[in-house]
Amino acid sequence: MASEGKAILEFAAKLNIPLLFHAVPAGIDEYSSVEDILKISEAFPTVRICLAHGTLFCKDLLDRANSLNNTWVDTAAIKIQIQLVMDLVDKGVLESSRLIEADYSDHLDVMRQLVNGYPDLILWGTDSPAYAFITRSEERR
């Protein structure tokens, strides 16, 4: 399972370095399966792991991540992720029944439901500060 990356995981554990993974439900991106990353979290409980992009708001995956003491979920680019989720639902790639209950036309409600439902799991976006900096820089020109 994690044999190819075992050295990196052991290095992260030794130096207490958290790892951030691009993570989406299986079947959307073959190299970024939340399910596979959660197996790594389970196999390496001393490594702190963050799943980027809110697991695309899949309740089953959020619940599983929440059950692990070494795993967190990031909300980077939440508005973009909501648009992606709605697109995937419309195309039949993602079942709406898997999603947390929220008003997906309101990104603030989705964030509110995430934080209220998973207060110890959710981290504020990891790449949003960089994006905000780039946006502000572009606006100054």
Side-chain angles (χ1 to χ4, degrees):
M1 179 245 340
S3 59
E4 295 84 2
K6 187 175 181 184
I8 292 170
L9 293 161
E10 289 173 346
F11 180 77
K14 181 179 179 182
L15 296 179
N16 195 25
I17 298 171
L19 299 176
L20 172 68
F21 288 89
H22 173 79
V24 294
I28 295 171
D29 177 349
E30 72 177 287
Y31 300 108
S32 303
S33 165
V34 173
E35 293 85 346
D36 288 344
I37 299 164
L38 288 171
K39 288 177 187 173
I40 293 169
S41 290
E42 292 164 344
F44 292 87
T46 60
V47 176
R48 292 177 294 148
I49 292 178
C50 183
L51 307 170
H53 311 308
T55 74
L56 298 186
F57 320 117
C58 290
K59 185 171 178 11
D60 60 315
L61 299 174
L62 288 164
D63 288 346
R64 187 166 164 207
N66 197 45
S67 73
L68 301 169
N69 292 327
N70 64 326
T71 305
W72 292 268
V73 172
D74 157 270
T75 59
I78 192 165
K79 206 168 179 185
I80 296 167
Q81 297 308 317
I82 291 168
Q83 291 169 345
L84 173 62
V85 165
M86 294 297 90
D87 206 31
L88 293 171
V89 167
D90 288 346
K91 291 178 180 174
V93 176
L94 185 62
E95 294 179 27
S96 62
S97 61
R98 289 186 71 188
L99 304 179
I100 62 166
E101 287 190 37
D103 177 359
Y104 286 87
S105 67
D106 178 1
H107 70 281
L108 295 176
D109 186 60
V110 176
M111 179 63 112
R112 196 174 298 112
Q113 299 309 321
L114 282 170
V115 171
N116 289 337
Y118 304 94
D120 297 324
L121 179 69
I122 301 299
L123 297 176
W124 183 70
T126 54
D127 60 357
S128 289
Y131 173 76
F133 172 77
I134 292 166
T135 302
R136 283 193 302 270
S137 297
E138 291 294 322
E139 290 171 356
R140 290 185 188 137
R141 293 182 183 179

